[in-house]
């Protein structure tokens, strides 16, 4: 979804719907946008919300969204939070929260979701959950804001497949989506979730790494919200 400088991803297969992250340039605007997007599709309840980490541009809109959309389960990283998002979600939705402190998997007849944890419990980009979404015909990988160090950690931890869609790390930061990582997962498509920002995202370095490998690059700043249809 196009939430500006932030991230909000909707995965839907058959009747299973999960939202990964919800935050943007303006948290309430991002939450309202995501809620309206779901309502316009006739959705008022989803199976789960997965938060990769507690930065405002990934999680800041989650409390507002959950006031508009019911979620059966919240999967939250059991890591520190420099702000109050974790505390707010815990106070309101404590009985629905699954604290992810080790890698876990969820499966339906049509898909598998794997959440990979970090070895760090501190707040920060390297503590992000990573999400691998797999169907019979499609693999999607989401790495939150992990840098190349976090990507190396993930490669040591998991046997990753070649993926159809990579959500480029840290909104296209030059410190993420590294050469060794791309060599391993060899994505067909890369999606950069960013808006107008002062950081220079997406960086020229990342765009060059992607283009020289023939990876199709998509950017919410230029294309807005986008839909990938799984064959």
């Amino acid at each position: 979804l196009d939430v500006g400088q932030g991230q909000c991803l909707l995965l839907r297969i058959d009747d299973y719907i999960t939202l990964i992250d919800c935050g943007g340039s303006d948290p309430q605007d991002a939450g309202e946008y995501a809620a309206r997007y779901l309502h316009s599709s006739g959705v008022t309840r989803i199976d789960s919300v997965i938060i990769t980490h507690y930065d405002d541009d990934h999680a800041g809109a989650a409390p507002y969204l959950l006031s508009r959309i019911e979620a059966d389960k919240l999967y939250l990283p059991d890591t520190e939070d420099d702000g109050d998002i974790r505390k707010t979600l815990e106070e309101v939705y404590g009985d629905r929260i699954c604290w992810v402190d080790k890698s876990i998997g969820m499966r339906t007849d049509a898909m598998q979701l794997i959440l990979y944890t970090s070895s760090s419990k501190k707040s920060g980009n390297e503590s992000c959950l990573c999400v691998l979404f797999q169907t019979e015909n499609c693999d999607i990988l989401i790495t939150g804001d992990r840098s190349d160090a976090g990507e190396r950690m993930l490669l040591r931890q998991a046997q990753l497949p070649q993926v159809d869609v990579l959500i480029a790390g840290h909104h296209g930061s030059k410190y993420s989506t590294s050469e060794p990582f791309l060599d391993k997962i060899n994505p067909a498509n890369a999606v950069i979730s960013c808006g107008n920002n002062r950081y220079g995202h997406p960086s020229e370095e990342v765009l060059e790494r992607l283009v020289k490998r023939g990876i199709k690059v998509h950017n919410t700043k230029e294309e807005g919200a986008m839909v990938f249809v799984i064959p």
Side-chain angles (χ1 to χ4, degrees):
L1 303 183
D2 180 13
V3 289
Q5 181 59 24
Q7 180 165 285
C8 186
L9 311 168
L10 178 67
L11 300 177
R12 182 173 189 171
I13 186 163
D14 295 339
D15 295 327
Y16 188 91
I17 303 174
T18 187
L19 196 79
I20 299 176
D21 286 344
C22 192
S25 310
D26 183 307
Q28 183 162 323
D29 283 354
E32 178 66 19
Y33 171 79
R36 288 186 179 182
Y37 186 95
L38 289 163
H39 286 158
S40 69
S41 302
V43 176
T44 58
R45 188 179 192 92
I46 61 178
D47 293 275
S48 61
V49 171
I50 299 168
I51 298 297
T52 60
H53 63 303
Y54 298 111
D55 284 1
D56 282 344
D57 61 345
H58 287 254
Y64 182 84
L65 172 75
L66 290 166
S67 72
R68 301 284 312 279
I69 297 286
E70 288 286 322
D72 293 337
K73 201 78 174 175
L74 278 66
Y75 293 89
L76 305 181
D78 192 12
T79 56
E80 297 175 2
D81 177 13
D82 292 335
D84 59 4
I85 296 171
R86 172 178 170 143
K87 180 180 178 182
T88 298
L89 293 174
E90 186 173 8
E91 288 176 347
V92 179
Y93 304 101
D95 59 338
R96 304 184 205 176
I97 293 174
C98 174
W99 296 106
V100 184
D101 58 3
K102 61 182 179 180
S103 298
I104 61 172
M106 296 168 277
R107 184 186 293 272
T108 71
D109 290 341
M111 68 89 194
Q112 175 175 256
L113 266 173
I114 304 175
L115 308 184
Y116 296 104
T117 56
S118 165
S119 58
S120 173
K121 295 295 184 182
K122 298 180 179 180
S123 63
N125 294 339
E126 308 316 325
S127 66
C128 286
L129 294 181
C130 295
V131 183
L132 179 63
F133 174 75
Q134 296 182 291
T135 71
E136 183 178 358
N137 299 312
C138 185
D139 297 287
I140 299 173
L141 182 62
I142 301 147
T143 59
D145 279 352
R146 287 202 191 188
S147 71
D148 56 351
E151 292 169 351
R152 290 195 301 271
M153 185 190 309
L154 179 61
L155 290 178
R156 290 193 298 268
Q157 179 183 15
Q159 293 295 320
L160 296 175
Q162 295 189 356
V163 302
D164 299 281
V165 181
L166 169 69
I167 309 301
H170 205 174
H171 320 285
S173 163
K174 66 181 180 180
Y175 301 109
S176 300
T177 318
S178 61
E179 301 265 8
F181 194 62
L182 290 172
D183 289 342
K184 175 63 179 178
I185 64 172
N186 191 27
N189 299 273
V191 175
I192 300 172
S193 182
C194 71
N196 294 321
N197 63 88
R198 65 180 187 274
Y199 310 108
H201 298 163
S203 70
E204 290 299 324
E205 292 93 332
V206 164
L207 294 176
E208 183 178 339
R209 289 173 210 157
L210 296 170
V211 170
K212 77 177 185 180
R213 288 173 168 79
I215 299 166
K216 296 178 182 178
V217 182
H218 307 272
N219 186 341
T220 58
K221 182 162 64 173
E222 298 175 357
E223 300 178 46
M226 60 192 76
V227 177
F228 287 82
V229 179
I230 297 171

